[in-house]
Amino acid sequence: MTHRAHRASGLRPLGVAMSLLLSGMTAHAQVSLSGANGVAIKTPGGSVITGFSNDGSVTVPALGPTGGYVIADPAGKLSVGAGPTGPAGAAGPAGPTGAVGPTGSTGEAGAIGPTGPMGPTGATGNVGPTGPAAVSSGVPVFGTSGADVGITTPNYIGMASMGVTSDVERGILMPTSGTIQTLRVRVSFLTPPLGAIFTLYVGSNPTPLSCSVQASGTCGATGSVVFATGDSVMLKADAVFPVIVRRVAWSLKVAYD
């Protein structure tokens, strides 16, 4: 005998009724007639096992509201069950996005990255204020007659020359403007009581820087004589009486602008 499981909704009412009736009788179920409504097979406790309505429908309460199967085992015993699991249905639509969760705690600092490339050169800064004017402590300038001087007439002595005229070639051309601060003169030989007077010239003009020598020796003068770039500076020698002097050397202390 082959045992088959039948879906409750697909069985012939009479066949199901007979099968369940037999099953109910085997279990000593009570059979009650409902008169106008049909026949109900109940357990000894009074629970309905199967109901047969007059309209031909069969009700098996054990199948539950979702329905199921009537299954026969090898011994011919009938039972009900949910049956095999059906295939999975299609995935439903995605639900709405959930709310944003709370911000997590700050993680540990990462390792220091490599040094980036050098940035572009910045803009040139503003020009700083002008510094104080330089203070010159004085630069020496030297001159000499270069030979014995016969002071019978005025002589003009430059850097290494002398003459009786105040030609430009006798003087020292100053490279820039400034101030002459000191004059020093040395005479190598002069017989007393004769003497000589030495005066500093700027161009063709005498200056206050002047001194005199009696016999061999030196003399000097201090002051402030201003000169311009390119001025010619020389020393003029005048004798008190006509006299011959072996050498004349002179020097200046100059503060350039």
Side-chain angles (χ1 to χ4, degrees):
M1 177 178 183
T2 303
H3 302 280
R4 295 179 181 178
H6 299 279
R7 185 68 174 169
S9 60
L11 298 176
R12 292 187 177 90
L14 181 59
V16 172
M18 293 301 296
S19 298
L20 293 178
L21 179 61
L22 292 175
S23 175
M25 294 175 63
T26 303
H28 306 286
Q30 295 178 353
V31 177
S32 62
L33 299 176
S34 59
N37 292 328
V39 178
I41 300 175
K42 299 182 179 179
T43 63
S47 297
V48 176
I49 299 173
T50 305
F52 302 91
S53 298
N54 292 333
D55 60 2
S57 62
V58 178
T59 302
V60 182
L63 293 177
T66 60
Y69 288 86
V70 176
I71 304 170
D73 63 9
K77 182 178 179 180
L78 300 179
S79 63
V80 297
T85 302
T97 302
V100 177
T103 302
S105 58
T106 302
E108 297 181 357
I112 297 175
T115 301
M118 181 178 293
T121 302
T124 302
N126 297 328
V127 177
T130 303
V135 178
S136 174
S137 59
V139 178
V141 175
F142 304 99
T144 179
S145 62
D148 293 344
V149 180
I151 306 179
T152 57
T153 58
N155 279 264
Y156 295 91
I157 304 171
M159 179 171 284
S161 64
M162 63 179 181
V164 296
T165 62
S166 59
D167 295 338
V168 174
E169 65 181 17
R170 306 293 181 199
I172 301 172
L173 294 179
M174 305 308 287
T176 185
S177 59
T179 303
I180 300 172
Q181 301 171 336
T182 304
L183 168 66
R184 298 294 297 175
V185 180
R186 183 184 67 195
V187 178
S188 62
F189 176 80
L190 191 63
T191 302
L194 304 179
I197 301 173
F198 299 94
T199 304
L200 184 69
Y201 271 62
V202 175
S204 59
N205 301 313
T207 71
L209 293 180
S210 180
C211 65
S212 61
V213 175
Q214 297 292 329
S216 297
T218 62
C219 69
T222 59
S224 180
V225 176
V226 177
F227 60 88
T229 302
D231 279 348
S232 177
V233 176
M234 67 193 76
L235 187 67
K236 180 184 178 185
D238 290 296
V240 177
F241 299 101
V243 67
I244 294 178
V245 182
R246 291 188 181 276
R247 290 285 191 277
V248 175
W250 60 284
S251 63
L252 303 174
K253 181 182 179 182
V254 179
Y256 291 104
D257 293 339

